[in-house]
Amino acid sequence: MLVPPRPPSLDGASGNFGTLKSLFPYVWRFKKRVLLALACLVLAKVATVLMPIYLKQVIDALSLPATVLVLPVAALLGYGAVRLASSALGEVRDALFARVTQGSVRLIANHVFRHLLGLSLRFHTERQTGGLSRDIERGTKGISFLLNFLVFNILPTLLEIALVCGILLWRYEWRFALVTLGTIACYIVFTLLVTEWRMRYRRAMNELDSRANSRAIDALLNYETVKYFGNEQYEMARYDQNMGQWVDAAVRNQVSLNMLNMGQAAIISAGVTALLLMSAQGVLAGRMTVGDVVLVSAFLTQLYAPLNFLGFVYREIKNSLADMERMFALLRREQEVRDAPQARELDCAQASVRFEGVSFAYDARRAVIEHLSFEIPAGKTVAVVGSSGAGKSTLSRLLFRFYDVTGGRILVNDVDIRQWSQESLRRHIGIVPQDTVLFNDTILHNIAYGRPQASRDDIVAAARAASIHDFIQGLPDGYDTVVGERGLKLSGGEKQRVAIARTLLKNPPILIFDEATSALDTRTERAIQSQLSEIARERTTLIIAHRLSTITDADRILVLERGRIVEQGTHAELLERQGAYARMWHIQQSL
């Protein structure tokens, strides 16, 4: 199993250098293969540069008068050998580096995925799924492209340029090397300047592409809502507006690309023409042979062909870096909720929960909970009721440590939950949420998610306890029925019963029922309620309820209004007081 390297520090990293710096630790995990591939690269380029030299020897030998003509066997064999070596070493290099490229992509993708799962609920409630997935997809593709072309095109071309210029300077006049270097310098400077100018269009395309994709995914995820309000044309207009802006940016990007290509072609043509003129003059003056002209021409063919491709490669590398910027930016997002440096592991069969002066606000301008204090002794049940927006569901999110309290503290077994590791804390808590979202997988998988190592018998037992086994058995595929994206193939009540079964399978010491039976019909609710009451009897249970009839047996009931407890007591005590709870009870009983 590949273990990702220690995440690179991205603080202060900016631009292309920061992106490459972030990428390096992942690539260097395969340093042996990298070094072997680089050795093959150098040897292949040396062989490539030797080919025109052997070709010159063949041409010069064949240019002798017929009376002294001898077949240049050594030169021909040498030419064939270096040509084979150049090709074979290139293939070996590619084979060695394939593991580096794909392994690096795997490590980075795993790191990004792990980081996203570690980010707080606040990030995930604010993100746009479509744009996020597109950023990751483009980023991983950009990594593969960058590594392949950087190692297989940029480095070999630069090495070949150095070797060719050295040979020209050694064998011929300094003017040949000067013209070659001058042409290359002009080409690179022109490419850099124009490509930097063009990158604004690429970034605009990426931004508009992500935005359009986010809107499309959002509309598809909310398909029923779009249909309810007949807003298909409205969603199409929003999507088309983004796509229209994307087309404008894409056209500007293409036109600027054509300008770059024309400028590069002009520079290369000027350089090639100048070198051929000097070669021809050398032959006429008797300083050079026909073989020398062939040698220079062959060098030009070998040099300027990859150099011309280098322009495309550089542009694509810049595009890849732009694509990777957004993905690596995700790694710069700080985790809002972190484990303490010496976090302890919670391991217990029973647990008590206590809120001490807890205050919390999603937005600093509006408090959701203020100075809230209550206790759930081990094995006891506390219910929380109140109007919408009173802060009831926030209690479960704070207990799970999706957010940290802004004031006070929450204790489990008399220890601040910030001192327990998040993983061990959440392992001890089970929840049946009001809005159950299932994975696009089988019913068996969704129930087993509560305890992935559970046996099929345990899963069936949990389904029976949640009164859903008979329903599942009645389906054509039984437990292997795929529920669809977010469980859309099941009704609200069926999804909630799957969620109940999943939590029962987890079998935690702390239970949270957040409107757990709100989507069930009265008959099913009564059937399950007795099961839930029996299960809760052995566990520390927090019930967040709307239907007061489901919490009459709770050991204590808290009435919340605007994040504060306004009443608390047993069901009978609260009815006797004729306060807020009693009013809610009489209203529901009259319906």
Side-chain angles (χ1 to χ4, degrees):
M1 179 179 177
L2 289 174
V3 179
R6 187 179 183 83
S9 174
L10 297 178
D11 295 337
S14 60
N16 300 334
F17 177 75
T19 302
L20 291 173
K21 181 181 176 183
S22 301
L23 179 61
F24 179 77
Y26 299 98
V27 176
W28 199 239
R29 282 294 302 273
F30 307 91
K31 53 182 174 292
K32 291 182 179 178
R33 284 180 173 269
V34 171
L35 294 174
L36 285 173
L38 289 176
C40 290
L41 182 153
V42 172
L43 293 173
K45 277 306 164 187
V46 170
T48 301
V49 171
L50 288 176
M51 281 193 288
I53 296 177
Y54 280 108
L55 187 61
K56 165 188 158 44
Q57 294 174 2
V58 172
I59 296 298
D60 284 343
L62 294 176
S63 298
L64 293 173
T67 54
V68 294
L69 185 62
V70 178
L71 186 66
V73 177
L76 286 170
L77 291 176
Y79 178 81
V82 294
R83 189 175 189 87
L84 175 62
S86 175
S87 176
L89 287 168
E91 295 300 327
V92 172
R93 174 203 66 189
D94 291 358
L96 286 169
F97 209 74
R99 175 70 64 177
V100 178
T101 302
Q102 304 309 325
S104 298
V105 169
R106 175 188 174 187
L107 287 172
I108 293 172
N110 284 339
H111 183 196
V112 173
F113 186 56
R114 182 184 298 106
H115 185 75
L116 290 175
L117 289 177
L119 291 177
S120 70
L121 183 61
R122 193 187 308 275
F123 168 82
H124 289 281
T125 55
E126 295 173 353
R127 65 174 165 80
Q128 292 182 311
T129 305
L132 182 66
S133 65
R134 187 61 64 90
D135 289 341
I136 296 173
E137 177 187 356
R138 280 200 308 253
T140 52
K141 286 183 179 178
I143 291 167
S144 180
F145 188 95
L146 178 69
L147 290 177
N148 280 313
F149 281 88
L150 188 64
V151 175
F152 299 160
N153 293 93
I154 298 288
L155 292 180
T157 302
L158 294 177
L159 178 60
E160 189 171 355
I161 289 170
L163 291 173
V164 168
C165 289
I167 292 172
L168 291 176
L169 194 61
W170 168 53
R171 296 182 65 96
Y172 306 110
E173 299 178 21
W174 58 269
R175 293 183 302 158
F176 284 85
L178 181 63
V179 170
T180 302
L181 285 174
T183 303
I184 293 168
C186 290
Y187 183 95
I188 292 175
V189 170
F190 176 77
T191 301
L192 287 173
L193 292 176
V194 177
T195 302
E196 287 296 330
W197 168 66
R198 291 186 62 245
M199 285 310 296
R200 70 183 73 176
Y201 301 125
R202 179 69 184 195
R203 288 193 177 95
M205 287 174 61
N206 286 352
E207 178 65 31
L208 292 166
D209 182 49
S210 294
R211 192 185 306 168
N213 193 60
S214 293
R215 287 187 172 176
I217 295 295
D218 199 33
L220 292 173
L221 290 175
N222 293 280
Y223 170 83
E224 291 185 24
T225 304
V226 173
K227 288 293 186 182
Y228 288 151
F229 293 93
N231 279 339
E232 294 90 342
Q233 290 302 318
Y234 171 72
E235 292 295 340
M236 278 298 304
R238 295 177 72 207
Y239 181 73
D240 186 60
Q241 180 184 15
N242 268 124
M243 291 305 296
Q245 294 172 342
W246 178 85
V247 167
D248 291 340
V251 169
R252 287 193 292 268
N253 182 64
Q254 182 61 45
V255 171
S256 64
L257 172 60
N258 298 139
M259 293 173 59
L260 176 60
N261 288 339
M262 287 189 292
Q264 290 172 335
I267 293 171
I268 289 175
S269 298
V272 170
T273 303
L275 285 173
L276 288 177
L277 281 174
M278 289 190 295
S279 298
Q281 289 173 349
V283 173
L284 292 176
R287 298 189 304 272
M288 299 175 68
T289 65
V290 175
D292 290 319
V293 176
V294 173
L295 175 66
V296 173
S297 299
F299 274 151
L300 293 176
T301 302
Q302 288 182 188
L303 183 61
Y304 284 122
L307 186 60
N308 186 46
F309 189 61
L310 183 63
F312 162 77
V313 172
Y314 177 73
R315 292 192 304 270
E316 291 304 311
I317 285 176
K318 290 291 293 183
N319 293 342
S320 297
L321 287 169
D323 292 339
M324 290 163 59
E325 280 176 14
R326 295 174 70 93
M327 186 181 71
F328 278 114
L330 292 172
L331 298 177
R332 287 194 283 271
R333 292 293 295 258
E334 292 290 338
Q335 292 180 320
E336 184 179 335
V337 179
R338 292 176 176 269
D339 281 343
Q342 303 297 326
R344 299 156 59 184
E345 291 292 312
L346 177 61
D347 186 10
C348 61
Q350 282 196 318
S352 63
V353 176
R354 188 164 75 252
F355 282 62
E356 287 187 353
V358 170
S359 297
F360 177 74
Y362 295 104
D363 186 320
R365 294 169 295 184
R366 186 177 72 89
V368 177
I369 292 174
E370 295 185 82
H371 309 296
L372 194 67
S373 297
F374 66 90
E375 183 176 4
I376 314 176
K380 299 297 183 180
T381 297
V382 169
V384 179
V385 299
S387 58
S388 296
K392 303 187 299 298
S393 294
T394 300
L395 298 179
S396 64
R397 293 173 178 172
L398 293 176
L399 185 56
F400 266 101
R401 263 202 91 195
F402 289 159
Y403 301 94
D404 275 334
V405 298
T406 52
R409 59 179 185 163
I410 303 173
L411 301 97
V412 170
N413 285 351
D414 297 320
V415 176
D416 192 321
I417 61 173
R418 288 170 290 197
Q419 299 304 314
W420 299 122
S421 71
Q422 295 177 66
E423 189 277 331
S424 67
L425 173 67
R426 292 166 186 162
R427 191 171 62 244
H428 285 70
I429 307 173
I431 185 170
V432 180
Q434 179 180 7
D435 182 19
T436 300
V437 178
L438 303 180
F439 294 96
N440 189 7
D441 209 311
T442 64
I443 293 178
L444 183 75
H445 170 85
N446 276 285
I447 295 177
Y449 204 77
R451 184 158 47 94
Q453 69 275 18
S455 67
R456 190 180 183 93
D457 288 342
D458 290 338
I459 294 169
V460 171
R464 288 184 185 278
S467 300
I468 196 174
H469 173 72
D470 292 340
F471 164 76
I472 296 172
Q473 289 291 81
L475 297 172
D477 295 323
Y479 280 86
D480 294 322
T481 301
V482 176
V483 302
E485 192 170 83
R486 301 172 71 240
L488 291 177
K489 292 183 180 180
L490 301 181
S491 70
E494 291 158 358
K495 286 196 297 182
Q496 208 143 23
R497 282 182 285 171
V498 169
I500 292 170
R502 184 165 59 189
T503 302
L504 295 178
L505 185 66
K506 184 178 181 180
N507 195 27
I510 302 173
L511 280 176
I512 300 174
F513 297 135
D514 188 354
E515 307 279 6
T517 59
S518 62
L520 305 180
D521 58 79
T522 304
R523 184 172 60 85
T524 305
E525 180 187 33
R526 287 174 180 170
I528 293 178
Q529 193 59 48
S530 60
Q531 300 273 359
L532 295 180
S533 299
E534 183 64 29
I535 295 163
R537 191 166 297 147
E538 303 298 326
R539 294 175 175 82
T540 305
T541 306
L542 174 65
I543 301 177
I544 297 166
H546 172 70
R547 297 180 185 176
L548 302 186
S549 58
T550 63
I551 60 167
T552 55
D553 293 332
D555 296 298
R556 196 162 195 79
I557 299 172
L558 310 178
V559 181
L560 253 61
E561 285 186 8
R562 297 182 180 180
R564 295 177 180 272
I565 298 174
V566 294
E567 285 184 339
Q568 57 180 307
T570 63
H571 172 71
E573 291 171 350
L574 291 173
L575 287 181
E576 287 180 7
R577 292 179 189 172
Q578 294 297 310
Y581 180 84
R583 288 194 297 272
M584 287 189 288
W585 174 263
H586 292 311
I587 291 172
Q588 290 189 13
Q589 291 300 304
S590 64
L591 295 178

